[in-house]
């Protein structure tokens, strides 16, 4: 089954992966504070450690998920709300998803 999923186009595969991982509880991870206002590129597997670890020093979250499509957006918003974020949004771009949130 997993091998047949790999035959999906890259964007579809990454969208499915991000959607599924957003539904799982976070495992916790070491915080990696970024520079305020800096958009950080993130791989779907990195959210397993929790979205809070990507907060910048001002409590803002700016993540970019390259090659992910719009159907993953509700799952990301669900994950952010579950982790206590507010003012969350997901912007669909040609290259992927831009995620914003505040804690």
């Amino acid at each position: 089954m997993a091998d047949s999923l790999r035959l999906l186009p890259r964007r579809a595969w990454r969208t499915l992966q991000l959607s599924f991982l957003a539904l799982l509880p976070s495992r916790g991870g070491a915080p990696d504070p970024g520079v305020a206002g800096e958009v950080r590129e993130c791989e779907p597997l990195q959210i397993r450690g929790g979205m809070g670890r990507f907060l910048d020093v001002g409590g803002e979250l700016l993540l970019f998920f390259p090659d992910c499509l719009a159907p993953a957006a509700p799952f990301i918003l669900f994950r952010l709300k579950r982790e206590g974020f507010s003012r969350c949004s997901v912007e669909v771009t040609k290259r992927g998803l831009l995620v914003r949130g505040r804690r």
Side-chain angles (χ1 to χ4, degrees):
M1 174 79 172
D3 290 333
S4 62
L5 287 176
R6 289 280 184 190
L7 297 176
L8 290 172
R10 175 178 166 82
R11 292 173 66 95
W13 169 249
R14 289 177 61 85
T15 302
L16 284 171
Q17 184 182 34
L18 181 59
S19 300
F20 176 73
L21 291 171
L23 293 174
L24 297 176
S26 64
R27 292 187 176 168
D32 185 13
V35 177
E38 176 186 30
V39 178
R40 299 173 67 179
E41 196 167 295
C42 187
E43 293 296 317
L45 284 173
Q46 289 177 293
I47 69 167
R48 289 293 288 143
M51 304 287 260
R53 59 188 272 232
F54 296 107
L55 287 171
D56 65 17
V57 293
E60 300 267 346
L61 176 78
L62 278 169
L63 291 179
F64 181 73
F65 291 95
D67 296 328
C68 290
L69 302 170
F75 299 99
I76 291 294
L77 291 171
F78 170 78
R79 175 65 171 265
L80 289 169
K81 287 296 188 181
R82 185 168 46 172
E83 289 190 23
F85 284 86
S86 61
R87 293 194 304 180
C88 304
S89 67
V90 177
E91 182 181 334
V92 179
T93 69
K94 286 184 191 178
R95 293 184 40 237
L97 298 177
L98 178 62
V99 178
R100 291 185 174 109
R102 185 177 228 346
R103 200 185 258 172

